[in-house]
Amino acid sequence: MSGFNKVVSSYADAMDGLQDGMTVLAGGFGLCGIQENLINEIKRLGVKNLTVVSNNCGVTDFGLGILLESKQIKKMISSYVGENQTFMDQLLADELEVELTPQGTLAEKMRAGGAGIPGFYTATGVGTEVGNGKEVKEFNGRDYILEEAITGDFAIVKAWKGDHFGNLVYRQTAQNFNPMAATAGKITVAEVEELVEPGELDPNFIHTPGIYVNRVIQGEFEKRIEFRTVTEEA
Amino acid sequence: MALSREQLAMRVAKELKDGYYVNLGIGIPTLVSNYVPEGIEVMLQSENGLLGMGPFPVEREIDADLINAGKQTVTAIKGASFFSSADSFAMIRGGHVDLTVLGAFEVDVHGNIASYMIPGKLIKGMGGAMDLVAGADNIIVTMTHASKHGEPKLLPQCTLPLTGAACIKRVLTDLAFIEIKDGKFHLLERAPGVSVEEIQKLTAGELVVPDNVPEMDL
C-alpha cells in the first residue's frame, strides 16, 4: 500500500482522533458543499465543547445545525447566523459563544492559517464591533485592523472528485470555503462524491493538491437545497 | 407614492454601466438583475464564489451545487467562473467590483451603515456586508425610508452596531435618492408623487434640499 493512499473506508476511521474541546474547520456555504456524513459522524461520536469554524451553521436539522441541537458546540466562528433558529436561540440565551466574523475575513483567516501567515491587516470591520480591541495600523492614509489566522485540529471538506493522493476538485459554488479549510487543518478529512483512479484528474485543474489532505472517504450525499427558486419554463 | 420593491430595483438599474462587475445583496438588490438596461452587459458577482450569475433555473436545471449568496438556486451565464471564498473576497476587498448594492437597517449623515444585528432581538450576522462596504467605492444602499411604524432610518447617528464606518455615499429609499457628503444628507431625487415635506418629515439626520428636486425617472 502506497504511503500516498489516503483513502479510509469507514467514517469512524475518517474522524478518528477527534476529541472534546477541539477546533474543527468546515467548508461549505449554507447547505452547499457541506460534509454531510462527516458531520453525522461527529454527532455519533458525541464529542463535546467543540469550536467550529464555518461560514454558517447549517439548518436546524441538517448539516452543522445537528451539532447545535445535540449541544456539542461550545463556540462558533461564523459570518452568518441567518435562518438557523436554533443558532439564534442558543446565541440569545447565552448557551453558545459566537465570534461573528466578516465573511471575507473568515476566508482569509483560514487561508492565512494554512499558508503559515499568522495575521494580516484588513479594512473590513474598522470602526465596528469587529475592530474592538484589535491593533489598528495606517497604510497610505487608511486605517486597517490586525486579524489573526485560524487553524484547526481537524478540517473537514467536501469535494466533487478526489483521488487516493488527496487531490481534490470542487464543483461550481460548492467550492466556497472548502479549499481554504483544507489547508488549515492539522488533520484534513475530505469527503468526496466520486473517488477516481490516480491519473484521472487533470493536474491542470486540481483545486486542492493532495499535500493538504490526510484522509479521503467517498460518501453518498443528499444535497439538500435551502431555497429552491425557479423560473417558469418559457 | 412610495416606490415598490420593483421600482427601487428599476431606479438602481439606471446606475448600471456597460462592462460593470456588480455585487447585489440579498433582497431588493437581487431584483436589480431583472432591469438591466437594454444594450449593456453587466456581470453579477455572487460572494459565495460565482462571477457571471444568471437568472433562477427552470425546474430541470436546478442544481444544489449552484446557489447565490442568499442560498437560492441560480444559473451561471456564458463566460462565468467559479472560485473560492478567498478569491471572491480578494475581488471585493481589492476593489475590483464596480458597483455594490446592499440593504441596511440604518444609515447616518456620516456615511455609517448598520445592517447586521439588533442587540437582544435579531442577530443575522454580517455575512459579506462588512467586506463589501470596506472594499467598494461605489455603493448604493437600498432601504425603506422609515420603519413600518414611521420611525426614520436616515439618522444623525446610527443607533445599531455598525457594519461599516464612513463608507456610504448614496442611499436609495422608497421615497428619495440621497447623497451623503460633508456630514449631511443631500436630496437628489424624490419618488414620483412624493413631496419634499414628506421626505423631510421622515428624515432624522440633517437634510439639504436644493431649490429644485426632480422626480425619479424610472
Side-chain angles (χ1 to χ4, degrees):
Chain A
M1 172 133 137
S2 158
F4 291 110
N5 187 353
K6 300 172 182 180
V7 176
V8 294
S9 51
S10 75
Y11 282 95
D13 289 342
M15 294 311 293
D16 183 45
L18 182 68
Q19 289 168 8
D20 290 356
M22 281 188 164
T23 295
V24 178
L25 312 186
F29 183 97
L31 302 180
C32 187
I34 63 170
Q35 313 73 29
E36 299 181 16
N37 302 292
L38 295 176
I39 294 166
N40 288 338
E41 177 63 16
I42 296 174
K43 181 171 181 186
R44 195 192 64 81
L45 286 169
V47 289
K48 296 233 181 314
N49 291 318
L50 296 174
T51 294
V52 174
V53 185
S54 170
N55 189 55
N56 315 82
C57 198
V59 292
T60 306
D61 64 342
F62 193 63
L64 289 169
I66 65 173
L67 303 180
L68 283 180
E69 285 282 291
S70 55
K71 307 242 164 124
Q72 289 173 263
I73 301 177
K74 180 186 70 176
K75 180 177 180 180
M76 283 298 306
I77 301 180
S78 300
S79 86
Y80 196 74
V81 188
E83 293 78 18
N84 188 329
Q85 194 59 41
T86 314
F87 193 133
M88 180 105 84
D89 291 346
Q90 290 190 8
L91 185 54
L92 290 172
D94 268 334
E95 291 173 0
L96 178 71
E97 280 177 60
V98 176
E99 202 173 304
L100 280 179
T101 304
Q103 197 174 137
T105 297
L106 187 63
E108 197 63 13
K109 276 171 171 269
M110 290 191 201
R111 199 193 69 78
I117 294 170
F120 57 91
Y121 290 96
T122 177
T124 303
V126 170
T128 76
E129 287 184 4
V130 166
N132 284 352
K134 288 176 184 157
E135 183 196 321
V136 179
K137 190 171 164 112
E138 192 185 306
F139 295 89
N140 302 318
R142 188 171 185 197
D143 284 345
Y144 294 80
I145 52 174
L146 177 64
E147 290 282 6
E148 292 183 18
I150 294 182
T151 55
D153 298 296
F154 270 78
I156 55 175
V157 302
K158 189 262 166 172
W160 177 26
K161 293 179 182 180
D163 61 22
H164 79 219
F165 296 98
N167 295 313
L168 304 176
V169 175
Y170 308 98
R171 186 168 176 275
Q172 300 182 339
T173 57
Q175 180 173 167
N176 55 61
F177 281 82
N178 284 297
M180 285 76 67
T183 65
K186 283 197 195 91
I187 297 173
T188 291
V189 187
E191 186 176 6
V192 303
E193 285 179 51
E194 282 180 53
L195 184 64
V196 303
E197 292 300 317
E200 258 185 61
L201 297 177
D202 184 337
N204 285 302
F205 297 100
I206 303 279
H207 288 123
T208 293
I211 191 169
Y212 296 113
V213 177
N214 302 92
R215 300 172 190 168
V216 178
I217 188 163
Q218 183 172 258
E220 296 282 328
F221 293 84
E222 175 187 334
K223 287 200 182 184
R224 198 184 288 187
I225 291 172
E226 207 163 340
F227 300 109
R228 198 180 180 88
T229 43
V230 293
T231 306
E232 290 301 317
E233 194 113 20
Chain B
M1 274 287 285
L3 299 184
S4 66
R5 290 163 59 85
E6 283 71 23
Q7 287 173 314
L8 274 162
M10 286 160 74
R11 178 61 192 86
V12 173
K14 301 235 173 234
E15 301 298 313
L16 299 172
K17 293 198 168 71
D18 198 19
Y20 261 18
Y21 293 102
V22 182
N23 182 291
L24 301 175
I26 297 165
I28 293 167
T30 308
L31 299 174
V32 174
S33 60
N34 297 333
Y35 301 102
V36 178
E38 241 175 273
I40 76 165
E41 270 188 304
V42 299
M43 193 76 101
L44 301 179
Q45 202 257 17
S46 188
E47 66 259 28
N48 56 314
L50 165 59
L51 188 61
M53 179 169 60
F56 295 149
V58 295
E59 192 69 34
R60 68 189 148 75
E61 292 173 329
I62 286 179
D63 186 333
D65 289 337
L66 186 42
I67 63 169
N68 64 17
K71 288 125 191 161
Q72 298 170 311
T73 47
V74 292
T75 53
I77 64 169
K78 196 183 286 180
S81 53
F82 299 112
F83 37 83
S84 73
S85 302
D87 282 329
S88 179
F89 283 91
M91 294 174 195
I92 289 165
R93 232 190 278 100
H96 305 280
V97 175
D98 298 300
L99 173 67
T100 292
V101 185
L102 78 178
F105 298 146
E106 297 175 344
V107 170
D108 72 25
V109 294
H110 310 291
N112 297 323
I113 173 172
S115 65
Y116 79 99
M117 73 176 293
I118 301 171
K121 277 196 203 146
L122 174 74
I123 303 170
K124 294 198 316 177
M126 66 289 282
M130 279 197 182
D131 305 278
L132 282 160
V133 297
D137 197 37
N138 190 12
I139 304 169
I140 298 176
V141 170
T142 58
M143 61 196 283
T144 54
H145 206 93
S147 75
K148 270 177 269 175
H149 313 293
E151 289 147 6
K153 294 159 86 171
L154 282 85
L155 305 173
Q157 187 83 53
C158 286
T159 63
L160 299 169
L162 297 186
T163 306
C167 53
I168 304 303
K169 294 180 197 135
R170 291 193 292 172
V171 184
L172 177 69
T173 74
D174 53 345
L175 304 182
F177 197 20
I178 282 171
E179 186 182 11
I180 303 174
K181 65 175 183 204
D182 309 323
K184 290 170 190 153
F185 294 126
H186 297 257
L187 185 55
L188 299 179
E189 299 173 14
R190 57 201 168 84
V194 172
S195 70
V196 168
E197 291 69 32
E198 269 175 90
I199 295 164
Q200 192 101 56
K201 203 173 73 183
L202 290 170
T203 308
E206 185 177 349
L207 181 68
V208 177
V209 182
D211 291 340
N212 176 34
V213 182
E215 286 193 351
M216 284 173 206
D217 179 19
L218 295 173

